Amino acid sequence: MKNQSMRINKILVCCGPGCLSNDSLDIYEALKNKIESDKPYISIETTVKATGCHGFCEIGPLIKFLPLDFFYCNVKVSDVEEIYQKTIKNGEIIERLLYHDQNSNQKIKSPEEAGFYKGQKKIALRNVGEIDPLSIDDYMKRGGYKALKKALLKSTTEQIISEVEESGLRGRGGAGFPTGFKWRQCAQMQNFPKYIICNGDEGDPGAFMDRSILEGDPHSIIEGMVIGAYAVDSHSGFMYIRDEYFLAIKNMTKALEQARNYGYLGQDILGSGYDFDIQIVRGGGAFVCGESTALMASIEGRVGEPRAKYIRSVEKGLWDKPTVLNNVETWANIPVIINEGASRFKSIGTAQSPGTKVFSLVGKVKNTGLIEVPMGMTLRQIIYDIGGGIALNKKFKAVQTGGPSGGCIPEQLLDLKVDFDSLDKAGSMMGSGGMIVMDETTCMVDVAKYYLAFLSEESCGKCVPCREGIRRILVILEDICNGRAQDEDLDLLIEICETVQATALCGLGKTAPNPVITTIKYFKDEYIAHIRDKRCPAGVCKELTIYSIDKDKCKSCGLCAKNCPSSAIKQEQSKIFTIDQTKCTKCGACVDICNFHAVKIGGALACR
Amino acid sequence: MENQQDFQYTRQISQQYPQDKRFLLAILQDIQKEYNYLPRESLYMVQEYMDIPLAKLYSMATFYKALSLKPKGRYIIKVCDGTACHIRASQTLTDEISKILKIAPGQTTSDGRFSLETVNCLGSCAAAPVIVVNDRFYGKVTPSMVKTIIDEYGGIYS
Ligand SMILES: Cc1cc2nc3c(=O)[nH]c(=O)nc-3n(C[C@H](O)[C@H](O)[C@H](O)COP(=O)(O)O)c2cc1C
Ligand code: FES
């Protein structure tokens, strides 16, 4: 497939977290070295860039070629030589590296043709994966800092706030509070100094959206923050970023420096006479620090305990001064709203939830990745059209949204529209954007237990309902999973959940029962199976599961015995393999490895 | 191990920051990074430098997950227990490692070589379940791979 007229001038190597862990940085370095070392001898005008997440993590590492807009997937360092010789020098496409879409059974060249990218709409992620995050020029080439100029040089603060209000933008950190309204309230305070904060704590244990923006397009957040600061008349901002996100901190530090050098940050921004600067604060790894008041306590150098919210942060926030705190994704939306106007923004999404939302779509879907979709898209469209359906062609069971504060949504609600209010109504919430797909091999009681174990660890312990209540809920869930629970325990569980919901001090406690309440609501039969039949239908809860080998299906290949880390599988004289229950740790290795589905997962009263 | 020179470094770290309470977390994080834990002697020095009670440092050290009062092993095995990894059976990996190393998550082997930790999403959910040893990444790990991975780092001494 040779194409002489084909000239590639830009190669974008995905260096998002997923691809990085598959050596994409080595691929980038190797490509770059190849091109650099040949440059003096042949004329190559191609530049290689290490970018943020391209989104389609499932088939990473990814490389995109511009301007022809085709991409390679599952690239290895050993492919670099061939890519260089054939694709870069000769414009040949290497079939083998193209993405094979299983659902349509087609080789796909351009991202636009892939089901995964088709339904997406990128606003917050507009530059992520398209630019080198360490280059402010790349950002500016794509319209970066235009909004800042428009805001600072051509608009009044009132115009900016009205525009944001008019856009209907709601906070992307979880609660969906109207951003423009928050800004207006803060702008009205006559108490100085005022502060601006970006919440980059991303506490949801199963998500990486904010990280991808922080790493992949730091300037969009900076630009949003300067505009917000100018609108409410603040001169000092903070970015609270999780310490584990060292690449995000590194890229952001560099971006802040560049923005200062270009006069977009610091003193006398764009010659307007307005000063504003941003400092990075590294988070200490506590989920509750994502809560606004706890986060402020943490910036002040205290332990991150929240306070009751009868006084609002816009009035008394950081150091008791008026403060606007917004999520990473919220900030990244601001420049687009200012540039393109509120009505354009409002035309995307739904009336009550305009715009888009970024999700990390993970779990048992075929296409794991980072996606951005218009609000109002249904869960089914997200999971089946973009996500490609359930992996290994198993049966869908539930989708979890909203992280530890959210809930599990069952199959009958798959046509639910994804927006703030619809998800709330289903008992879950938008949250910051984790979307975890679960199949028939996921145990819903175990999922509830997982979140509650997380929350009991993360509860700061300040208020009793949260500290003690979550622990009691967890103990009951553990009993259920271990086969020790009685029927009455379910009622007790619901009662404690309702109490914690009603009485906890901060959002962590108030929403902590959600995973339990929604799983009981939609998957009560699974709880009953655990409690009455002492059986875990998904085969996850070890105490309630027994593995055995089906004599009729077993072909005596011995693969299971070889792969059993506990040496629990032995061949009897009769050549039949059996599992020694005293040695079996129920890790499931044999189930996964058997080609003949001969390992049976049984629940049994006998386990008790 | 903890010689004079070491603590000189603590002093250097602290003095990079103004004596303002809001830099406390950052100072402790830097010390943690340098020593892999917060040595008692370093805490005394920070206490003196910042002029705050030791109890306050202790409350910070126990509240924030990134900080640890106990030394960590040479090889830190992090098992991702983010949601995506959890529902792809990361727990069985933790169990298997616990069984081999005879330590629970959060502990370090008595010879100081291995620490076991569970962590939140590492952003590589497509490769779930995921293990990271120091900076080396392992994806789609199965229980039967665990022993081989530990052996790469010298395995357990019997
Ligand atoms: C327990 C708890 C954890 C939270 N974690 C986060 C987080 O990790 N990231 C985030 O942006 N917001 C988080 N929030 C929401 C924040 O309190 C706050 O509402 C949000 O950052 C405001 O920004 P927004 O209006 O732009 O959404 C959390 C809230 C609670 C109660
Ligand atoms: S949950 Fe383990 S990498 Fe995301």
Side-chain angles (χ1 to χ4, degrees), chain A residues 170-177 179 182 199-204 210 287-292 309 325-328 330 405 432 506-508 511:
Chain A
R170 296 172 66 174
R172 302 297 196 237
F177 191 84
T179 305
K182 193 188 275 185
N199 187 347
D201 198 42
E202 191 146 66
D204 181 345
D210 293 347
F287 176 63
V288 73
C289 285
E291 196 275 342
S292 51
K309 268 200 177 157
L325 175 134
N326 279 124
N327 164 265
V328 167
T330 314
S405 316
S432 53
C506 83
L508 188 149
T511 56

Side-chain angles (χ1 to χ4, degrees), chain A residues 425-441:
Chain A
K425 224 181 277 161
S428 184
M429 63 185 269
M430 181 71 92
S432 53
M435 187 174 278
I436 297 110
V437 179
M438 301 171 181
D439 69 7
E440 54 193 317
T441 62

Side-chain angles (χ1 to χ4, degrees), chain A residues 235-546:
Chain A
H235 300 283
S236 173
F238 294 89
M239 254 187 223
Y240 193 88
I241 307 176
R242 274 175 69 165
D243 199 26
E244 294 98 307
Y245 289 0
F246 54 89
L247 187 60
I249 293 173
K250 186 177 140 229
N251 290 1
M252 188 55 82
T253 308
K254 181 90 192 281
L256 288 171
E257 217 171 274
Q258 289 172 337
R260 279 185 209 110
N261 290 341
Y262 276 63
Y264 298 141
L265 192 66
Q267 298 201 329
D268 190 19
I269 297 174
L270 294 170
S272 66
Y274 170 68
D275 307 336
F276 175 71
D277 211 334
I278 299 173
Q279 296 172 40
I280 295 177
V281 177
R282 291 173 292 156
F287 176 63
V288 73
C289 285
E291 196 275 342
S292 51
T293 59
L295 188 147
M296 292 174 202
S298 182
I299 294 181
E300 290 172 16
R302 295 185 282 131
V303 297
E305 285 179 352
R307 60 163 174 79
K309 268 200 177 157
Y310 47 87
I311 306 170
R312 295 154 310 150
S313 302
V314 284
E315 194 180 331
K316 278 189 173 178
L318 192 60
W319 288 294
D320 280 341
K321 296 294 178 186
T323 303
V324 166
L325 175 134
N326 279 124
N327 164 265
V328 167
E329 193 184 328
T330 314
W331 288 120
N333 270 295
I334 297 294
V336 178
I337 293 173
I338 298 300
N339 261 337
E340 301 187 5
S343 52
R344 180 79 184 274
F345 186 81
K346 260 197 324 203
S347 69
I348 302 159
T350 67
Q352 296 306 313
S353 305
T356 56
K357 180 77 194 83
V358 181
F359 291 100
S360 60
L361 180 63
V362 299
K364 308 284 182 76
V365 278
K366 280 195 187 132
N367 303 337
T368 292
L370 180 78
I371 62 166
E372 180 167 1
V373 295
M375 297 267 192
M377 192 178 247
T378 67
L379 285 166
R380 190 184 301 279
Q381 286 170 314
I382 295 178
I383 296 168
Y384 287 89
D385 297 348
I386 296 176
I390 309 300
L392 306 170
N393 292 318
K394 292 230 163 70
K395 202 171 160 311
F396 172 88
K397 186 186 273 181
V399 55
Q400 207 279 351
T401 65
S405 316
C408 293
I409 299 166
E411 184 163 21
Q412 65 264 30
L413 294 182
L414 266 181
D415 290 309
L416 191 76
K417 288 199 162 98
V418 175
D419 60 58
F420 289 102
D421 312 303
S422 309
L423 287 171
D424 271 356
K425 224 181 277 161
S428 184
M429 63 185 269
M430 181 71 92
S432 53
M435 187 174 278
I436 297 110
V437 179
M438 301 171 181
D439 69 7
E440 54 193 317
T441 62
T442 314
C443 169
M444 300 318 288
V445 189
D446 178 72
V447 168
K449 187 180 83 173
Y450 165 78
Y451 281 118
L452 271 289
F454 174 81
L455 291 162
S456 92
E457 184 75 15
E458 295 293 340
S459 167
C460 74
K462 185 168 170 175
C463 77
V464 180
C466 180
R467 187 180 66 226
E468 299 303 326
I470 292 180
R471 205 173 294 164
R472 295 317 304 165
I473 297 174
L474 180 60
V475 169
I476 297 175
L477 290 172
E478 279 168 353
D479 280 351
I480 296 178
C481 291
N482 290 335
R484 288 194 302 258
Q486 313 291 329
D487 274 10
E488 309 83 84
D489 287 330
L490 208 51
D491 300 326
L492 181 61
L493 192 58
I494 295 169
E495 193 185 326
I496 302 176
C497 282
E498 284 167 355
T499 311
V500 174
Q501 232 175 6
T503 54
L505 172 73
C506 83
L508 188 149
K510 283 191 177 73
T511 56
N514 283 356
V516 186
I517 293 173
T518 52
T519 47
I520 294 181
K521 182 167 166 195
Y522 299 121
F523 302 96
K524 195 161 184 177
D525 50 336
E526 269 190 56
Y527 278 84
I528 302 285
H530 283 76
I531 296 172
R532 285 197 201 141
D533 313 338
K534 310 295 176 203
R535 188 171 66 85
C536 173
V540 170
C541 300
K542 292 188 175 184
E543 307 293 325
L544 302 183
T545 301
I546 280 195

